[in-house]
């Protein structure tokens, strides 16, 4: 170990992966420990490999799944899959062929581990502290919850990693976000990250890697930490990270791809040394008072347009972009969102589709019915989550409340597989993007936590979940 | 990637801030396995009416925009997803440069790998460009300057390696492959294996 200057968590992981350091003239060459791939952002990269006759350098460090354009309706075999379009079907076939031809592990339709790429990495124990992890998907930041440096890349870079297991990168800056204190009952990781984005803005993290710190973060379980890191990209950040601790190690113990025996002990020693040095300095830091946070909901067309659940929608104050967003959402300023009737509730996505998310929603829905006229879709993040939820009867809770219980996938988060919100309809969604048309052409999206989404489904409008928690 | 040295064009202006990748190219057009033809769906939500006809109010459908290769957009252009389909769609349509006060990280990186120029300028220059759609500008990659119609040249920041690659049309994959020995050495000598 060199006695160099104190380092942050990010700097430790970065330095540990430098094949070649950056200079003024050239970027760093960064080695990648885990490359996650899915069907939407890889076909053009594989086409390039074929064209140039290049093999995948490290098939053992590459892991594939199908999630974006896959149907979430039940099926028995690949043949009777109700794939939404010929394009999507072709993409799915192509993914299968690419993984076969290049010898890559793929969790396709025959795998009990299939699921959203950012759900299955941690579930399989492939996501580990201190690794560099990339995927052609911006929510790769999710894996930073384990103290990995994980970020999204474009398809050209997917090709670079397939061919060389490396990326050309400039060193990002560091941003510490300290969330202090204890969260109130009914305030979840989703509310924390929405509040942070509201505070620093959708470009507040641009060019930075965020490290989330503080009591409120440390008190979170791994699934909640993943929710926080997942939406780092919604603040424009390159990545989000949380220092590994006992919970991280406990979560990884015994997973299929976790190290075993002496390797496990060595890995744990290495992981314990990853948290940032006490004297390490960040380029910027932001403090958030966790005790003051409320359940949060978005009201506009980006995740930074966010308010506490019972607050009135703010005024546009002559800002044309703001007014355009309110027009699109058909929401009037000065009134709380509970005034607007909703049509669809979606519980799912890589932000909030793990077992604890489903449990939180189910606790509120147990013994209750969703409002008349509301369609509610519950889509577990992976087949493993689905089985775990069914084992404790959550599927029944959802179905009895009037919701649909589906196979895993991205589903209504992105609407690529046919699960869409109809034009003009209002949706409360536990996903991560409320962009115009994200959930379907003309769809209007309000982002919220699983608890808020469940409470809203019952009420038929945006609703504070806290009254439902009393007496629990 | 083809080399890019200079670009002279009139501008199209989209003043909205935080234009995300779902607006640039909606997700339903990502079920493709090729890079071609995405220009048809560029800004689909804004460019077309619900029945598929052109929205005459949208800037790309106005006569003055024909042949313009430079898009001036509001702050934080390209935020959202990592889809490289966004720069592919812009290039396929004929846009060769984006000017804004801030451009989202992944979009910028994807653009540079495809020869689409991400140009970040100061607020004053940006405000002038927003107010003067159709202005003819010149972008000089070697000098890293944007020249306005009055002859004033504004410097814009660009990573020197990215500039070198643009000017020479360098394929960054080939550059990485040249470091094969160092990569192998790293794999063999690192203190742990993933
Ligand atoms: S769930 Fe949504 S955000 Fe997550 S990977 Fe799928 S499409 Fe992307």
């Amino acid at each position: 170990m060199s006695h160099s200057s104190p380092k942050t968590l990010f700097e430790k992981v970065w330095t540990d992966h430098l094949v070649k350091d950056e200079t003024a003239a050239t970027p760093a060459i960064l080695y990648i420990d885990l490359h996650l791939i899915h069907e939407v952002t890889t076909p053009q990269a594989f086409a390039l490999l074929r064209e140039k006759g290049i093999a995948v350098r490290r098939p053992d460090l590459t892991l594939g799944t199908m999630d974006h354009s896959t149907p979430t309706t039940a099926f028995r075999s690949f043949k009777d899959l109700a794939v939404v379009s010929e394009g999507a079907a072709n993409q799915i076939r192509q993914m299968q062929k690419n993984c076969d031809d290049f010898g890559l592990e793929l969790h396709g339709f025959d795998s009990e581990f299939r699921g959203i790429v950012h759900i299955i990495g941690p579930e399989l124990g492939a996501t580990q502290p201190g690794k560099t992890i990339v995927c052609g998907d911006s929510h790769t930041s999710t894996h930073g919850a384990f103290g990995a440096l994980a970020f999204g890349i474009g398809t050209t870079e997917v090709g670079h990693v397939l061919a060389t297991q490396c990326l050309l990168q400039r060193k990002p800056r560091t941003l510490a976000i300290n969330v202090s204190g204890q969260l109130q009952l009914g305030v979840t990781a989703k509310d924390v990250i929405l509040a942070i984005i509201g505070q620093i803005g959708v470009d507040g993290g641009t060019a930075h890697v965020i490290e989330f710190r503080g009591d409120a973060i440390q008190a979170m379980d791994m699934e909640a930490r993943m929710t926080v890191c997942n939406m780092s990209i919604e603040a424009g950040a390159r990545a989000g990270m949380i220092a590994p601790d006992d919970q991280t190690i406990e979560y990884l113990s015994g997973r299929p791809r976790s190290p075993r025996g002496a390797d496990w002990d060595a890995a744990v020693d290495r992981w314990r040394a990853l948290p940032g040095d006490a004297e390490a300095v960040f380029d910027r830091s932001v403090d958030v008072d966790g005790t003051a946070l409320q359940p949060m909901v978005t009201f506009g067309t980006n995740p930074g347009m966010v308010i506490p659940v019972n607050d009135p929608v703010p005024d546009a104050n002559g800002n044309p972009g703001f007014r355009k967003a309110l027009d699109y959402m058909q929401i009037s300023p000065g009134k709380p969102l509970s005034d607007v009737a909703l049509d669809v509730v979606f519980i799912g996505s890589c932000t909030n589709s793990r077992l604890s998310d489903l449990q939180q929603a189910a606790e509120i829905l147990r013994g209750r019915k969703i409002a008349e006229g509301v369609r509610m879709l519950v889509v577990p993040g992976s087949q493993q989550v689905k089985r775990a939820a069914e084992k404790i009867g959550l599927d029944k809770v959802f179905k009895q409340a009037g919701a649909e219980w589906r196979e895993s996938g991205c589903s209504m988060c992105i609407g690529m597989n046919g699960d869409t919100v109809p034009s003009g309809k209002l949706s409360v969604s536990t996903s991560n993007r409320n962009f115009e048309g994200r959930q379907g052409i003309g769809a209007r999206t309000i982002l919220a936590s699983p608890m808020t989404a469940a409470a809203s489904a019952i009420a038929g409008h945006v609703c504070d979940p806290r009254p439902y928690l009393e007496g629990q | 990637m083809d080399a890019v040295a200079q670009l002279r064009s009139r501008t199209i202006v989209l003043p909205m801030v935080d234009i995300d990748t779902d607006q640039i190219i909606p997700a339903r057009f990502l079920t493709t396995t090729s890079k071609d033809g995405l220009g048809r769906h560029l800004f689909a939500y804004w460019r077309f009416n619900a029945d598929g006809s052109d929205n005459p109010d949208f800037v790309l459908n106005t006569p003055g925009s024909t042949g313009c290769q430079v898009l001036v957009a509001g702050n934080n252009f390209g935020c959202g997803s990592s889809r490289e389909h966004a720069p592919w769609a812009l290039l396929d349509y004929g846009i060769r440069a984006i000017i804004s006060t801030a451009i989202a990280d992944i979009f910028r990186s994807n653009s540079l790998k495809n020869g689409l120029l991400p140009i970040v300028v100061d607020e004053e220059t940006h405000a002038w460009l927003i107010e003067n759609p159709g202005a003819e500008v010149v972008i000089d990659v070697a000098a890293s300057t944007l020249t306005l119609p009055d002859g004033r040249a504004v410097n814009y920041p660009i990573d020197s390696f990215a500039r070198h690659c643009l000017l020479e049309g360098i394929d960054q994959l080939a550059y990485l492959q040249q470091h094969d020995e160092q990569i192998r050495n790293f794999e063999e000598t690192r203190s742990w294996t993933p």
Side-chain angles (χ1 to χ4, degrees), chain B residues 103-129:
Chain B
I103 294 177
D105 285 336
I106 309 180
F107 177 83
R108 181 175 39 79
S109 158
N110 285 340
S111 295
L112 286 166
K113 292 190 174 57
N114 290 277
L116 176 68
L117 305 175
I119 313 274
V120 171
V121 294
D122 60 276
E123 284 185 18
E124 196 188 326
T125 306
H126 187 250
W128 188 89
L129 286 164

Side-chain angles (χ1 to χ4, degrees), chain B residues 31-75:
Chain B
T31 56
T32 170
T33 52
S34 126
K35 298 179 185 180
D36 302 327
L38 288 163
R40 241 182 303 146
H41 310 299
L42 179 70
F43 296 119
Y45 291 137
W46 297 340
R47 201 165 131 208
F48 306 112
N49 297 314
D51 64 2
S53 61
D54 286 358
N55 167 12
D57 298 332
F58 186 63
V59 60
L60 293 193
N61 295 327
T62 55
S65 80
T66 313
C68 292
Q69 299 182 320
V70 176
L71 176 66
V72 179
N75 190 58

Side-chain angles (χ1 to χ4, degrees), chain A residues 67-68 116-118 137 139 349-350 410 413-414 432 438:
Chain A
D67 50 7
H68 281 67
I116 303 173
V117 63
H118 310 309
D137 195 288
H139 291 100
S349 90
C350 57
C410 295
C413 170
I414 191 163
N432 43 53
R438 170 79 176 187

